[in-house]
């Protein structure tokens, strides 16, 4: 979910984390949580407040897989692609789903409802394959289960 | 009557929240006097959701439970319940373990201080408070504990270095980035017994004179983050951490941030770039100050060591691998879960006797030990004892204790390619062998998979792996050759390679 950018609300969020040692990541997480992604305005405001260059904030944002610079779909499905899930056939299941949806990894459905992303291990490796839909964890997901899960939100 | 319904990530992913609600509803519908306790998991994940009902003989287990199995819990005939697995502590997978670090996991309510203290919690911290810092470090050294994050460096020696450093501020940093596929021990202890980690970190603080601690916890573990934050708040409010400030920091989805120096950069708010060593973090770590950085399991082993003595811990194990290891059985395995046992058990016992072979029922083809940077083993090597040195001797590593099983449908050339792809995806980019080598490796393996000049390209992969192994700044580029070369050496037929000596039998 994304919310309209609001500079004063963003400034309020940032100020909450300023007393921390090394506040950059907590600030970026909190802004993304609130606004869905890290826009140019967000990056500019963080740079200003922390008194660092925009390039530096941009460098941090682009380094980490979690941070988005584009708004995601209304729901995000993260499918595990790591080894333990692969050993239980996760790749074939994921490919089938992506084909059904006509998407590639990282894409969003044209109606903006669902973004499908890879994740490398959710720590559910004894009950593979696994995935996370928004904040909800799922394990022992066979091909059908995965399709059904995506079906809940599209 | 108390009914236990676990609340760790696995159980929740398999519907335990709904189960708990259904059990509460069914109990009140029947007017039964039941209290539902949300315990942590015992780590027998193939049985999750594993519901436990208290009885005169002990806790009786039912799993894997579904909503449809709930009413029968109240029928009065527990033994006849279709999902009954009998007394939980008599299940061989559980009974065969030597649980020192994970003793409370699944038994207690993870955020109950009363449960924690009544099961031996804070005994170690209490002892530590009455000891000198030097004596605490000596106790940890005597235990023989080696870092459980991967490198296996003696924890007591690391602590001693930080203790001897002079600085206005020292830090304890807990590495809870647990990025290795096939591992979940950090997650489990944090979700099932978070006070154990809190206690271990507080002891570390006393041992080296550090008043601040951080837990760098991966963002892929949202439940662990919230449970640990809750536990820290409870312990702090209860006045149990008078001289120690502890904070959880969330990672941001970068595998390389599990590498200790990249982790420190990330905590400081930078890109997670690997630092050149020296200086070592023990002398110049977080914000340039002396820092103990340890894996969750290393720190969580410490309360037992202080409570029972270093010698008690060292009494377990073999050779220079002392104590116990929470081995994590994952992937295509029948009985997947966490098995804590003294070092020395063989790989074959773990996979076949404890793990029950594959989940698919097909023959085991390969086992990847130690995460994405660990070597593949074949069943012919199942006599390898679980021991740091024995694994090294076979060109492998124990790492963080994960074992991922593959059946005979696995394509090992594809797995080798994945290792390179993962390295390319996660490289911090600071050194060339890792950044460029992994991408080239992927391309060459693609050619091998397409059966182009196989012999030549296999030789090229060997060279490239040598360059990565000896030229990379950290173990991301440095160890990616392990899965690649072990796959090629053990399973040349998957690469279309016939000229290797291993294939010439
Ligand atoms: C690419 C890479 C990833 C790593 N990931 C982790 C990790 O997720 N957790 C961890 O404890 N150690 C990890 N390590 C090892 C750490 O660098 C370091 O050895 C460890 O945190 C030290 O703690 P210990 O002595 O208690 O094991 C990783 C190392 C590398 C090279
Ligand atoms: S490998 Fe998929 S959850 Fe760990």
């Amino acid at each position: 979910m994304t919310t309209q950018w609001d500079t004063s609300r963003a400034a309020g969020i940032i100020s909450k984390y300023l007393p921390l040692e090394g506040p950059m990541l907590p600030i970026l997480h909190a802004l993304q949580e609130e606004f869905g992604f890290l826009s140019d305005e967000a990056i500019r405001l963080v740079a200003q407040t922390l008194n660092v260059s925009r390039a530096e904030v941009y460098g941090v944002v682009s380094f980490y897989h979690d941070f988005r610079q584009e708004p995601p779909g209304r729901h995000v499905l993260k499918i595990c692609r790591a080894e333990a899930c692969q050993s239980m056939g996760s790749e074939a299941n994921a490919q089938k789903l992506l084909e059904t949806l006509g998407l590639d990894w990282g894409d969003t459905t044209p109606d903006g409802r669902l973004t499908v992303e890879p994740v490398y291990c959710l720590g559910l490796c004894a009950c593979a394959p696994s995935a996370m839909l928004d904040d909800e964890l799922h394990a022992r997901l066979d091909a059908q289960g995965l399709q059904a899960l995506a079906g809940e939100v599209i | 009557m108390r009914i236990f319904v676990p609340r760790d990530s696995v159980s929740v992913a398999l519907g335990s929240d709904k189960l708990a609600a259904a059990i509460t509803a069914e109990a009140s519908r029947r007017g039964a006097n039941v209290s539902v306790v949300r315990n942590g998991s015992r780590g027998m994940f193939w049985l999750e959701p594993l519901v436990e009902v208290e009885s005169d003989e002990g806790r009786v287990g039912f799993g894997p439970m579904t909503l449809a199995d709930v009413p029968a819990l109240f029928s009065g005939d527990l033994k006849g319940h279709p999902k009954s697995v009998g007394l939980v502590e008599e299940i061989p997978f559980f009974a065969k373990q030597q649980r020192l670090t994970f003793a409370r996991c699944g038994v207690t309510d993870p955020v109950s201080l009363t449960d924690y203290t009544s099961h031996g919690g804070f005994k170690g911290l209490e002892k530590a408070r009455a000891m000198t810092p030097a004596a605490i470090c000596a106790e940890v050294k005597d235990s023989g504990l080696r870092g459980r994050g991967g490198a296996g460096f003696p924890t007591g020696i690391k602590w001693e270095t930080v203790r001897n450093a002079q600085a206005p501020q020292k830090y304890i940093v807990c590495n809870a980035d647990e990025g290795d596929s096939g591992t979940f021990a950090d997650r489990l202890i944090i979700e099932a017994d978070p006070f154990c980690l809190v206690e271990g970190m507080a002891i570390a603080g006393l041992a080296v004179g550090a008043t601040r601690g951080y837990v760098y916890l991966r963002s892929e573990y949202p439940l662990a983050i919230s449970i640990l934050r809750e536990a820290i708040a409870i312990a702090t409010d209860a006045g149990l951490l008078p001289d120690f400030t502890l904070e959880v920091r969330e990672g941001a989805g970068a595998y390389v941030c599990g590498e200790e120096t990249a982790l420190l950069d990330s905590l400081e708010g930078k890109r997670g770039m690997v630092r050149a060593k020296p200086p070592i973090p023990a002398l110049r770590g977080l914000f340039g100050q002396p820092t103990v950085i340890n894996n969750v399991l290393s720190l969580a082993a410490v309360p037992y060591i202080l409570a029972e003595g270093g010698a008690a811990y060292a009494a377990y194990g073999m050779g220079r691998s002392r104590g116990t290891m929470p081995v994590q059985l994952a992937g295509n395995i029948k009985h997947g879960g966490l098995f804590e046992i003294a070092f020395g058990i063989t790989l074959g016992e773990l996979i076949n006797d404890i793990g029950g072979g594959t989940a698919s029922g097909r023959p085991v083809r390969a086992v990847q030990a130690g995460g994405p940077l660990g070597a593949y083993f074949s069943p012919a090597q199942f006599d390898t004892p679980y021991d740091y040195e024995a694994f090294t001797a076979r060109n492998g590593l124990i790492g963080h204790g994960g074992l991922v099983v593959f059946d005979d449908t696995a394509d090992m050339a594809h797995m080798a390619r994945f290792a390179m792809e993962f390295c390319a995806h996660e490289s911090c980019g600071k050194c060339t062998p890792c950044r460029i080598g992994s991408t080239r490796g992927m391309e060459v393996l693609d050619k091998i998979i397409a059966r182009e000049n196989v012999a030549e390209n296999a030789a090229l992969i060997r060279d490239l792996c040598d360059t990565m192994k000896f030229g990379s700044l950290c173990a991301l580029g440095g160890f990616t050759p392990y899965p690649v070369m072990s796959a090629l050496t053990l399973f040349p037929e998957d690469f279309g390679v016939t000229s290797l000596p291993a294939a010439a039998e």
Side-chain angles (χ1 to χ4, degrees), chain A residues 3-20 23-38 42 45-46 49-50:
Chain A
T3 319
Q4 191 63 40
W5 175 254
D6 176 332
T7 308
S8 71
R9 203 162 69 245
I13 291 171
I14 295 176
S15 69
K16 240 178 71 188
Y17 294 94
L18 280 181
L20 299 184
M24 178 79 87
L25 260 65
I27 288 175
L28 295 177
H29 270 304
L31 289 178
Q32 178 158 300
E33 172 80 21
E34 178 69 18
F35 299 106
F37 70 110
L38 296 166
L45 187 65
V46 173
T49 322
L50 294 182

Side-chain angles (χ1 to χ4, degrees), chain B residues 146-495:
Chain B
R146 293 165 69 174
R148 304 292 191 230
F153 187 82
T155 304
I157 293 177
K158 190 183 279 190
W159 288 19
E160 188 72 10
T161 309
V162 179
R163 182 178 77 80
N164 287 325
Q166 301 297 320
Q169 178 72 57
K170 298 178 186 177
Y171 293 99
I172 308 297
V173 172
C174 170
N175 188 341
D177 202 45
E178 196 162 67
D180 291 1
S181 167
T183 68
F184 38 75
D186 296 350
R187 178 186 64 68
L188 184 61
I189 196 127
I190 289 172
E191 292 175 350
D193 196 21
F195 293 122
C196 180
L197 175 60
V198 171
E199 182 179 355
M201 290 185 72
I203 294 170
L206 291 175
V208 305
T211 54
R212 293 190 80 101
Y214 288 100
V215 181
Y216 187 89
L217 221 168
R218 65 200 301 255
S219 61
E220 292 86 345
Y221 287 177
L223 268 177
I225 291 174
S226 74
I227 292 175
L228 185 57
R229 285 201 168 127
E230 190 182 342
I232 290 171
I234 292 170
T236 307
D237 290 348
L240 290 160
L241 307 171
D243 34 27
F244 197 59
T245 314
L246 195 48
E247 206 187 296
V248 178
R249 284 294 174 89
E250 186 176 344
Y255 177 77
V256 75
C257 286
E259 195 283 332
E260 56 187 10
T261 61
L263 187 154
L264 294 174
D265 267 16
S266 182
L267 265 182
E268 291 178 7
K270 305 176 194 150
R271 293 160 71 90
M273 303 289 272
V274 174
R275 301 177 184 173
K277 284 187 263 188
I280 54 169
L283 297 177
R284 287 180 58 86
L286 188 59
F287 301 110
Q289 303 299 312
T291 302
V292 166
I293 174 159
N294 272 134
N295 175 249
V296 174
L297 300 178
S298 316
L299 291 162
V302 166
Y304 175 91
I305 290 167
L306 266 288
E308 308 301 327
Y313 190 78
Y316 294 86
M318 72 174 272
R320 295 204 292 121
S321 306
R322 308 313 315 173
T324 59
M325 186 73 188
V327 181
Q328 298 134 79
L329 302 171
N332 196 333
I333 189 155
K334 192 168 169 207
H335 297 158
L338 182 136
F339 191 81
E340 182 177 352
I341 189 84
F343 287 96
I345 186 170
T346 66
L347 191 52
E349 286 174 274
L350 285 165
I351 302 296
N352 292 325
D353 305 348
I354 308 297
T358 63
S360 60
R362 304 181 64 96
V364 174
R365 178 109 194 274
V367 176
Q368 187 175 26
L373 307 176
Y376 287 99
F377 284 75
S378 78
Q381 301 168 305
F382 274 9
D383 59 335
T384 314
Y386 209 78
D387 162 76
Y388 289 103
E389 280 66 40
F391 269 54
T392 309
R394 296 229 158 139
N395 282 320
L397 48 125
I398 280 181
H400 183 52
L403 295 174
V404 176
V405 179
F406 292 80
D407 73 11
D408 62 351
T409 61
D411 174 350
M412 300 311 293
H414 175 84
M415 296 318 297
R417 187 204 185 271
F418 176 77
M420 286 289 189
E421 183 186 352
F422 186 72
C423 180
H425 188 256
E426 300 296 338
S427 175
C428 82
K430 189 156 175 173
C431 72
T432 318
C434 171
R435 185 183 68 237
I436 308 284
S438 52
T439 302
R440 289 293 98 83
M442 231 158 76
E443 292 163 2
V444 177
L445 282 162
D446 278 337
K447 287 186 190 154
I448 293 178
I449 289 167
R451 297 294 182 264
E452 285 175 38
N453 302 328
V454 170
E456 235 168 81
N457 280 319
L460 199 57
I461 279 289
R462 266 172 200 282
D463 274 0
L464 183 65
C465 281
D466 263 358
T467 306
M468 289 176 70
K469 191 168 173 183
F470 298 109
S472 297
L473 191 56
C474 84
L476 180 51
F479 286 12
T480 294
Y482 279 117
V484 175
M485 288 311 299
S486 55
L488 178 60
T489 312
L490 294 171
F491 309 99
E493 62 277 20
D494 286 20
F495 296 75

Side-chain angles (χ1 to χ4, degrees), chain A residues 79-86 90 119-131, chain B residues 179-184 218 221 330 404:
Chain A
I79 304 174
C80 180
R81 298 191 72 185
E83 289 91 337
C85 284
Q86 287 187 38
S90 61
V119 65
Y120 293 89
C121 193
L122 293 165
L124 309 175
C125 336
C127 300
S130 62
Chain B
D180 291 1
S181 167
T183 68
F184 38 75
R218 65 200 301 255
Y221 287 177
V404 176

Side-chain angles (χ1 to χ4, degrees), chain A residues 15 18 26-27 30 32 35 38 48-49 51-52 59-60 65 68 86 92 97 101 110 128-130 136 139 153:
Chain A
S15 69
L18 280 181
I27 288 175
Q32 178 158 300
F35 299 106
L38 296 166
Q48 254 171 26
T49 322
N51 200 20
V52 297
V60 173
H65 301 305
R68 312 168 184 285
Q86 287 187 38
L97 178 70
L101 299 173
S130 62
E136 225 180 75
V153 294

